[in-house]
Amino acid sequence: MQRFLSVLILLFLFCGSALADAGITFDKKSHDFGTIKEEDGDVSCEFVVTNTGDSPLLLLRAASSCGCTVPEFQKEPIRPGQKGIIKVTYHAKGRPGPFTKSVRIYDNSKPNHVSQVTITGNVLSSRTVEDNYTYQIGGDLRIKSRAINFFDVYPNKANRTRTLQVYNEGNDPVQLSFRNVPKHLYIECEPEIIEPKKEGKVLITYITEKVKDWGMQRDNFEIFAKGKETKMKDNRITITADILEDFSEMSRRDRDNAPVIEVESRKIDFGTCNTPVTKSITIKNHGKTKMQIRKIMNDMGKVFVTKLSSMTIKPGSTATLEVTFVPAECKMSAISHHITIICNDPNNPRVIVNMDADK
């Protein structure tokens, strides 16, 4: 009999919604944690919901906008007029800076009904200035990195800008200047004057219309604090980029008529030698238009000396690439190296040739 009554009660609670609806209201829709110390770890707040309807309220699901925010809610039905709790926890450790996170709450008050609550705050970093700005370059300046990589850069396409973060740890304002800047780089500081104990940004722009080379490029420039030039040290910044030809706008017809590269061999074995040895391979154009060899990329030009008979190869024609191994320039008893042939074949713009030598 008691079991029968329990079933009737459940039927009344859950099926009675056909005659009445649940309702949901929040005591608040947002919570500001204010300033949080990173070392304190997790912080939590509670949102109180009230069932303002006439049937049981079920919280079905809660989803956060980020894995750093974890919502918890009660699974039991909330009776009319009763309250329930939604707890939201933010994992502050390892996340310095301001944050705004949202949690979406799904319930049965209406079909597909969703509510949203928001948490905000600012996490004070437990890291020191030295942790955040690893390199001290003199003149009261610290920087986060000595190298900036632009990765892929396409000539005559949109300029690209990267940021180097700097910090003035001194007690006086600092104005930066830059020396030995390559023509294809434009550099400015934001703000122009960095106040004491404040951060600044060095904005480095790669001007693509001034790029005159292909393949991996490495450039350097120096940062100086005006009036403190003699105190600067280790202030050279390295810029790297890979200059690529853009074939993305080529039509199918252009691709069908494009040059096609074929390299006789992808490996050259010089064997053991104590004097310079020269070996050659043939490069053939199997396409329908002229092939332009943009560059033979080789970062060991004194050890492996390259010479190409022609930088332009007509359809059906060949060019000869000579590679000379110079043992006297090699400090190792055995060496493995490679060169890269860069050309205007849209389907195979880079061909790697590996080389081995002993002495």
Side-chain angles (χ1 to χ4, degrees):
M1 184 65 179
Q2 186 176 0
R3 183 177 180 182
F4 177 73
L5 289 173
S6 298
V7 172
L8 285 177
I9 293 171
L10 287 173
L11 286 172
F12 174 77
L13 290 175
F14 294 102
C15 297
S17 59
L19 301 175
D21 292 324
I24 184 170
T25 60
F26 290 78
D27 67 329
K28 58 183 178 181
K29 285 291 191 74
S30 64
H31 179 85
D32 185 0
F33 286 103
T35 300
I36 307 165
K37 292 183 179 180
E38 184 182 357
E39 59 265 28
D40 290 343
D42 297 348
V43 290
S44 299
C45 66
E46 292 183 345
F47 295 90
V48 179
V49 296
T50 301
N51 182 357
T52 55
D54 299 317
S55 65
L57 172 67
L58 284 175
L59 303 180
L60 303 174
R61 183 164 67 93
S64 65
S65 59
C66 175
C68 59
T69 306
V70 180
E72 299 175 74
F73 61 94
Q74 67 182 67
K75 306 299 190 295
E76 298 79 12
I78 303 172
R79 295 174 179 273
Q82 299 298 306
K83 299 181 184 298
I85 300 294
I86 299 170
K87 180 180 178 182
V88 179
T89 300
Y90 181 71
H91 299 311
K93 191 170 181 61
R95 296 179 173 88
F99 66 88
T100 299
K101 304 296 177 182
S102 61
V103 175
R104 292 169 65 85
I105 300 149
Y106 300 79
D107 64 77
N108 72 329
S109 62
K110 295 177 183 179
N112 303 315
H113 186 253
V114 182
S115 302
Q116 180 171 294
V117 295
T118 303
I119 60 171
T120 57
N122 184 40
V123 180
L124 290 180
S125 176
S126 59
R127 292 169 61 87
T128 64
V129 170
E130 290 77 10
D131 291 331
N132 289 321
Y133 295 86
T134 308
Y135 304 100
Q136 213 284 338
I137 62 172
D140 296 325
L141 285 179
R142 302 190 74 92
I143 57 176
K144 282 197 172 185
S145 174
R146 287 200 179 100
I148 298 292
N149 193 341
F150 277 83
F151 299 100
D152 297 345
V153 172
Y154 296 92
N156 298 313
K157 293 295 182 179
N159 294 339
R160 298 187 60 193
T161 300
R162 298 292 304 276
T163 300
L164 173 67
Q165 293 176 296
V166 299
Y167 182 80
N168 177 11
E169 64 178 351
N171 296 317
D172 300 310
V174 169
Q175 185 173 4
L176 302 187
S177 63
F178 311 100
R179 297 181 185 176
N180 300 317
V181 179
K183 292 182 179 180
H184 54 272
L185 296 180
Y186 176 74
I187 303 174
E188 59 183 335
C189 184
E190 187 179 281
E192 184 176 351
I193 296 177
I194 305 174
E195 298 296 330
K197 314 302 180 186
K198 296 293 184 180
E199 299 174 323
K201 297 179 180 179
V202 174
L203 304 178
I204 307 162
T205 300
Y206 223 102
I207 306 173
T208 61
E209 67 178 13
K210 294 186 178 181
V211 173
K212 304 299 182 184
D213 207 343
W214 301 95
M216 292 299 302
Q217 300 297 312
R218 185 185 181 95
D219 299 295
N220 300 288
F221 69 90
E222 289 84 39
I223 297 178
F224 288 89
K226 288 188 176 181
K228 300 181 180 180
E229 287 83 356
T230 58
K231 297 181 180 180
M232 305 303 293
K233 60 180 181 179
D234 299 325
N235 59 333
R236 175 177 291 183
I237 307 301
T238 299
I239 305 297
T240 55
D242 193 5
I243 312 301
L244 303 172
E245 190 163 356
D246 185 12
F247 301 104
S248 62
E249 297 181 2
M250 287 187 70
S251 66
R252 180 180 293 275
R253 180 178 179 181
D254 289 338
R255 283 185 176 272
D256 291 341
N257 292 319
V260 178
I261 188 171
E262 180 185 274
V263 179
E264 177 186 4
S265 175
R266 299 294 182 94
K267 185 174 182 179
I268 302 175
D269 190 349
F270 288 92
T272 302
C273 45
N274 295 315
T275 58
V277 174
T278 299
K279 296 202 172 186
S280 62
I281 56 175
T282 299
I283 302 174
K284 187 172 184 178
N285 178 9
H286 279 287
K288 298 178 181 179
T289 54
K290 289 182 181 180
M291 175 182 294
Q292 299 294 331
I293 303 299
R294 303 298 191 194
K295 186 178 183 179
I296 305 295
M297 197 161 62
N298 177 17
D299 58 5
M300 296 187 71
K302 292 185 178 180
V303 178
F304 293 96
V305 181
T306 60
K307 182 181 179 181
L308 184 63
S309 61
S310 177
M311 298 294 285
T312 302
I313 308 174
K314 296 179 180 180
S317 299
T318 62
T320 301
L321 175 63
E322 294 183 349
V323 184
T324 301
F325 172 58
V326 185
E329 295 291 342
C330 183
K331 298 180 180 180
M332 297 173 283
S333 59
I335 185 172
S336 293
H337 184 53
H338 72 270
I339 57 175
T340 303
I341 303 169
I342 302 177
C343 68
N344 64 331
D345 177 350
N347 298 308
N348 199 12
R350 297 190 179 196
V351 177
I352 293 176
V353 177
N354 296 295
M355 300 172 294
D356 293 319
D358 297 291
K359 65 174 184 175

